[in-house]
Amino acid sequence: MCGIVGYLGKKEAAPILFEALKKLEYRGYDSYGFATSDGSKIWLDKSTGKISETKPKELPGKIGIAHTRWATHGGVTAENAHPHTDCNGEIVVVHNGIIENYQELRKELLDKGHEFKSETDTEIIPHLIEEYMKENDFATSVVKTLNRLEGSFAVAIVNVKANKMTVARKGSPLVLGIGKDEYFVASDIPAFLEHTKQVMYLHDGDIVTFDGGIEVFSTLEGKKVERKIDTVAWDAEQAMKGEFEHYMLKEISEQADVIKRAISQDSKEIMDIARQINEAKGIFLVACGTASYACTSASYFFSKVAGKHINVVLGSEFPYYKHFLTPKTLVIAVSQSGETADTLESVRVAKEAGARVISLVNVMGSTLMRESDQHLLLNAGPEIGVASTKVYTAMLVVLYLLAYATIGKFDEGRKKIRRLYLDVYKLTSATMRKNIKALAEKIKSRDHLFLLGRGHQYPTAEEAALKVKEISYIHAESFAGGELKHGPIALIEKGTPAIFFVSPDNEKEIISNASEIKARGGFVVGVGSKNNEVFDFWIKTPEAGDLNPILQIIPMQLLAYELAVLRGCNPDMPRNLAKSVTVK
Ligand code: F6R
């Protein structure tokens, strides 16, 4: 939530920051702002609205910072947009995170005569630095300030007079890009990927000051540290929209390749994790949102294919399960970003109880990856669209592979999943899109949509409902087929659309649920390999048995996308949402 970026080098900062910020817009898009320094003064440009809908302003200076906002404290106004300055306009700050004790700090600073221009928690940072600089140098003042902050932050701070930039993180992501005679800092790698693939992942508590090069690298406790430079495997193309209208459509279309990459896991590592699953006393899959539905899907898969019971718990609920944790418990945390606050909190709770933590994560160098005892990368490439699509598929693939591995069938499982490549490719084709668009036309004006599945198809219904509601704003709700008669059937009116996911092992039961809806005037859509007379609309997906969830979600991702477009919503930037949820 919120994206920050900074540049320091030999080029004009503003155009670089502008392009970089556009790549971070998925993190927040209610307002934006830039600040550059030419050594004599700060040049500021702040506005409400989306960065992608504006043109770059000419701001002089070879050092600068920028921010795209997802409001937490203070309304969406130009004054509340970052960057924020001190009273003299000499210290300027962008911030991602939440300062929990900002009210008491603000009062303290107001009492000392500081004047605030915004309602944000962030603005206390430049003022506090200004206050400490009355008796300390810049570097010391920054350390003292950051140590007073409770909550989470990733900050980039520019001091005009010293022509220096300092960056730091605690609880919010921040990564450095190391170019030739230039440095970048950003909440996420795609921001600077077109300039460099050399990155340095900052750890919690790291503070870096730049002055031409990296001058000081220390921790909040003042300890000098060194961090290694990594090379990212992603390339700039992967993080661009290319010929696609939206990132979401591009990412949906990439899923055949995503499967290929997700299965090219090191077999030794998979076998090692499978062994730990087999040996653990109590296994939890922990995740939020889409990742949690991938986990639920995997729990059905583990149960059927491997005869293994796995508990699935939402990241926000997991801390309430801490009484069940022992040093023999295995917690597998699953996340695209690796920065989701609730998932990270669960990991910390698990570690406190002595449980072992393994993470399945897409973003290399993320906090989750670093805080886990062991990790496995999902290898889906950068996912920019706010609605997760290709990473959901990568999660299913890796979790299913693990299930096969626990019963010594890793190679066989990998072969089965590899065979889906062509099917996935066809499901993402223009023909399928046309078919789905026709369905979207039929239901685009409805207020409600219901999605039903049984067994292994139930989590697919849950994930499909989330996709539809979050980007098209149609109320979409999922039910287990058997639950229909326990209440939800009361919602069915003439023409209410209901989508049913069908697989051979639950066909009879789910078709009779579909008939119950049809009998009450509902509009019945079937997703599966066989047509049925009860369907008003059929979406044909190839028959893949236990692997059906990998195929059946794809038309639903397309449906969500088409519904959003037809209803005039931007699927890449759904209202009120941001890609990484770094607050609890
Ligand atoms: C929905 C979506 C979210 C995320 C959730 C967890 O399309 O993307 O529900 O799945 O916020 O995020 P990660 O996987 O980054 O932990």
Side-chain angles (χ1 to χ4, degrees):
M1 329 206 109
C2 298
I4 69 172
V5 58
Y7 173 80
L8 178 133
K10 299 204 160 141
K11 300 179 193 137
E12 283 300 304
I16 293 173
L17 292 172
F18 186 81
E19 289 308 318
L21 202 60
K22 280 206 283 189
K23 310 238 169 53
L24 292 185
E25 199 171 21
Y26 68 86
R27 301 179 65 87
Y29 31 82
D30 54 43
S31 50
Y32 62 87
F34 297 86
T36 59
S37 161
D38 60 3
S40 63
K41 67 172 265 194
I42 284 172
W43 299 81
L44 262 183
D45 173 33
K46 311 207 284 186
S47 179
T48 55
K50 296 188 172 77
I51 177 76
S52 52
E53 291 168 4
T54 186
K55 293 220 154 49
K57 284 239 172 75
E58 271 187 35
L59 303 170
K62 298 185 166 58
I63 173 168
I65 52 182
H67 184 273
T68 182
R69 182 165 185 244
W70 186 85
T72 55
H73 294 72
V76 180
T77 62
E79 290 74 32
N80 288 336
H82 300 213
H84 293 287
T85 66
D86 65 339
C87 296
N88 301 322
E90 289 174 3
I91 307 291
V92 63
V93 176
V94 287
H95 164 224
N96 167 211
I98 289 183
I99 312 297
E100 284 158 8
N101 58 338
Y102 85 101
Q103 280 173 327
E104 68 187 67
L105 291 172
R106 187 175 165 110
K107 184 172 179 317
E108 178 185 317
L109 288 159
L110 282 169
D111 289 346
K112 287 186 172 146
H114 289 262
E115 282 178 16
F116 285 79
K117 299 184 203 83
S118 77
E119 304 152 316
T120 63
D121 52 342
T122 303
E123 200 185 347
I124 56 117
I125 302 175
H127 288 282
L128 204 49
I129 296 174
E130 178 188 11
E131 188 58 33
Y132 280 121
M133 279 182 74
K134 289 179 181 162
E135 292 184 3
N136 300 276
D137 60 16
F138 173 59
T140 313
S141 303
V142 169
V143 173
K144 281 184 183 287
T145 296
L146 297 180
N147 274 303
R148 297 272 320 268
L149 308 182
E150 286 166 20
S152 60
F153 58 79
V155 285
I157 307 161
V158 170
N159 175 342
V160 188
K161 278 198 176 150
N163 213 27
K164 280 187 182 176
M165 178 163 76
T166 294
V167 304
R169 67 160 284 185
K170 189 183 131 200
S172 298
L174 201 62
V175 56
L176 300 188
I178 319 285
K180 192 169 176 306
D181 299 328
E182 58 186 1
Y183 293 87
F184 305 83
V185 58
S187 307
D188 200 357
I189 295 166
F192 54 71
L193 204 49
E194 64 180 293
H195 301 282
T196 181
K197 286 174 139 194
Q198 305 291 101
V199 300
M200 224 183 237
Y201 298 106
L202 298 193
H203 294 203
D204 257 359
D206 281 357
I207 307 181
V208 189
T209 296
F210 301 93
D211 178 18
I214 291 176
E215 189 185 64
V216 188
F217 211 130
S218 67
T219 63
L220 282 168
E221 293 82 35
K223 213 170 80 201
K224 288 256 158 46
V225 282
E226 280 186 20
R227 302 285 175 228
K228 69 177 179 33
I229 297 180
D230 282 304
T231 305
V232 272
W234 298 352
D235 60 46
E237 290 266 295
Q238 282 180 299
M240 285 174 184
K241 241 188 306 186
E243 82 236 32
F244 291 90
E245 213 170 316
H246 296 103
Y247 280 109
M248 184 179 178
L249 189 59
K250 175 180 183 245
E251 287 156 8
I252 291 172
S253 309
E254 285 171 353
Q255 291 180 101
D257 288 331
V258 163
I259 290 190
K260 255 199 207 160
R261 285 203 301 273
I263 54 172
S264 34
Q265 298 285 347
D266 178 353
S267 60
K268 275 203 215 94
E269 251 195 282
I270 292 271
M271 294 314 294
D272 178 46
I273 297 174
R275 176 191 53 77
Q276 294 178 62
I277 293 174
N278 282 334
E279 286 172 4
K281 299 266 177 298
I283 307 150
F284 288 88
L285 282 172
V286 181
C288 300
T290 286
S292 79
Y293 297 136
C295 292
T296 312
S297 185
S299 75
Y300 281 95
F301 197 84
F302 266 98
S303 150
K304 179 155 181 222
V305 171
K308 199 157 269 312
H309 172 69
I310 310 243
N311 302 284
V312 179
V313 187
L314 292 171
S316 53
E317 291 296 310
F318 186 77
Y320 306 108
Y321 277 76
K322 66 180 176 197
H323 321 284
F324 295 104
L325 302 176
T326 75
K328 292 200 168 130
T329 310
L330 176 64
V331 172
I332 303 181
V334 183
S335 171
Q336 188 288 127
S337 60
E339 301 294 346
T340 302
D342 290 324
T343 308
L344 289 173
E345 173 70 7
S346 305
V347 164
R348 288 164 196 156
V349 165
K351 290 188 90 174
E352 248 168 57
R356 183 163 172 83
V357 175
I358 298 179
S359 60
L360 307 185
V361 61
N362 193 43
V363 177
M364 187 181 163
S366 57
T367 308
L368 178 60
M369 176 180 141
R370 280 205 314 271
E371 291 196 10
S372 308
D373 297 306
Q374 195 173 343
H375 71 270
L376 208 58
L377 286 170
L378 296 164
N379 294 334
E383 190 178 65
I384 313 276
V386 166
S388 187
T389 51
K390 64 175 181 175
V391 176
Y392 177 74
T393 297
M395 286 169 179
L396 290 185
V397 167
V398 172
L399 285 163
Y400 289 8
L401 265 184
L402 280 170
Y404 282 124
T406 58
I407 48 166
K409 292 191 173 171
F410 172 71
D411 286 330
E412 190 183 319
R414 184 146 70 173
K415 261 189 219 141
K416 282 188 180 165
I417 297 171
R418 190 179 289 127
R419 270 187 230 127
L420 300 183
Y421 178 86
L422 211 57
D423 294 332
V424 173
Y425 187 75
K426 285 186 190 148
L427 286 170
T428 56
S429 69
T431 318
M432 181 50 111
R433 206 180 140 194
K434 206 164 137 211
N435 190 24
I436 295 295
K437 201 167 177 180
L439 174 61
E441 287 283 1
K442 287 184 195 293
I443 61 177
K444 68 178 182 204
S445 310
R446 304 298 306 198
D447 293 329
H448 307 283
L449 167 66
F450 299 107
L451 300 105
L452 297 101
R454 282 174 172 261
H456 210 164
Q457 272 53 56
Y458 175 42
T460 304
E462 290 186 294
E463 169 57 7
L466 177 61
K467 284 292 89 83
V468 170
K469 77 180 110 180
E470 71 177 326
I471 61 166
S472 76
Y473 316 144
I474 291 177
H475 167 230
E477 206 172 336
S478 55
F479 299 107
E483 280 296 291
L484 192 62
K485 56 195 174 294
H486 297 291
I489 200 160
L491 295 166
I492 304 302
E493 293 171 348
K494 192 164 170 16
T496 304
I499 302 181
F500 291 84
F501 299 90
V502 189
S503 213
D505 55 359
N506 52 44
E507 183 176 346
K508 258 194 2 235
E509 294 87 345
I510 199 78
I511 293 292
S512 64
N513 293 139
S515 309
E516 287 154 14
I517 298 249
K518 181 84 173 227
R520 283 154 184 88
F523 176 74
V524 173
V525 180
V527 181
S529 60
K530 282 196 274 172
N531 201 352
N532 190 289
E533 61 186 17
V534 76
F535 299 155
D536 296 300
F537 195 101
W538 174 43
I539 299 170
K540 185 177 181 186
T541 53
E543 185 47 62
D546 295 328
L547 298 175
N548 273 336
I550 297 178
L551 302 181
Q552 293 185 349
I553 194 61
I554 295 172
M556 294 298 104
Q557 296 169 341
L558 283 172
L559 178 65
Y561 175 81
E562 296 296 350
L563 282 171
V565 173
L566 285 173
R567 288 164 62 93
C569 314
N570 179 346
D572 283 344
M573 292 179 207
R575 69 183 176 210
N576 307 336
L577 289 175
K579 182 94 182 139
S580 305
V581 187
T582 53
V583 290
K584 280 208 263 169

